[in-house]
Amino acid sequence: MSAPRSAGHRPAAPRLDHHTLEKYENVWFGIAVIMSVLLFVTVLASFLSGTAPSLSGEGGHHITGVKNGRLDPGNFAATPFATPGLRHNADGSYEAFVIARAFQFEPAVLKVPVGQPVTIHVTSADVLHGYFIEGTNINATAIPGQVSSFTTTFRRPGTLNLVCNEYCGTGHHNMVSSVKVDVQEP
C-alpha cells in the first residue's frame, strides 16, 4: 500500500546529469562542425566556379573624379559636384548631383522632370547627412568622401519636401529643402 500523495506534489523531473549534458553538447558541436564544413565547401566552390563577388572594387561610377564610389570631399571642383543640380545628358538620360553640407542641400531646390528616370548622386561635404524625400521611398545616406547613387522616376508633378534624417549638428532641424517635379517642356 502506498502512502497518500498531497494535492500539490508533482513527480520530480529527471535530473540532468553530467553525462546527459555531455550528450547534448556533443550533438550541438557536431551540428556546428557540419555547418562550418558546409560553409567552407560552399565558399571554396564559389571561388573555384568564378561566381564569387569581385573583391577588386572596380567599377561602380562613371563620374569624373569618382573612383570606386569615393571622391575627395575637399576637391569637388574636379567632379560634377562642382555645379550641383540636374543635367540632361547627350544620351537623353538625366543625372542630378546633390551636396549635403552644414544644414543645407545644394542645390536648394532640385528641379526634375516628371515621368523621366533620374539618377541622383548624393555626397556630403562635411559630416554624415540623410537624404529623405517625403512621400517617396527615397532614403539615402550622404557620407563624406562617398557617393550614394540611385535612379528614380517621379510620376506626378508637384513639390516634395527633402529633409536630412540623420542628426548632423545643432542646425539639423533647419536642413529642409525641396524637389520640384515639373512637366518637361517640349
Side-chain angles (χ1 to χ4, degrees):
M1 182 170 179
S2 65
R5 299 169 77 178
S6 65
H9 179 72
R10 293 193 298 179
R15 187 169 177 227
L16 294 176
D17 60 5
H18 176 72
H19 296 291
T20 305
L21 291 176
E22 185 178 348
K23 183 174 81 179
Y24 289 128
E25 287 175 351
N26 287 336
V27 168
W28 281 111
F29 180 74
I31 292 171
V33 168
I34 291 170
M35 291 176 64
S36 297
V37 169
L38 286 175
L39 177 65
F40 177 76
V41 169
T42 303
V43 170
L44 184 64
S46 178
F47 278 108
L48 293 177
S49 67
T51 58
S54 172
L55 300 177
S56 65
E58 296 296 324
H61 285 285
H62 64 282
I63 305 169
T64 304
V66 176
K67 185 173 183 179
N68 299 328
R70 301 189 59 83
L71 60 83
D72 178 8
N75 188 18
F76 286 138
T79 69
F81 290 97
T83 53
L86 185 69
R87 298 217 170 93
H88 191 187
N89 297 326
D91 63 356
S93 65
Y94 288 93
E95 286 185 298
F97 294 89
V98 178
I99 300 175
R101 70 171 78 205
F103 319 127
Q104 64 180 346
F105 291 101
E106 296 177 18
V109 177
L110 177 63
K111 295 179 181 179
V112 296
V114 68
Q116 298 290 323
V118 177
T119 300
I120 300 175
H121 306 284
V122 182
T123 190
S124 172
D126 45 26
V127 297
L128 191 71
H129 293 282
Y131 188 86
F132 176 68
I133 299 176
E134 291 179 344
T136 69
N137 62 354
I138 297 171
N139 186 8
T141 302
I143 302 170
Q146 293 192 6
V147 178
S148 298
S149 300
F150 53 91
T151 301
T152 188
T153 302
F154 296 93
R155 303 282 181 202
R156 289 176 288 201
T159 302
L160 302 168
N161 290 327
L162 166 64
V163 298
C164 173
N165 59 358
E166 292 282 344
Y167 182 74
C168 55
T170 56
H172 166 73
H173 61 284
N174 293 323
M175 196 164 174
V176 178
S177 184
S178 62
V179 175
K180 188 172 182 180
V181 184
D182 280 334
V183 175
Q184 186 180 12
E185 297 175 11

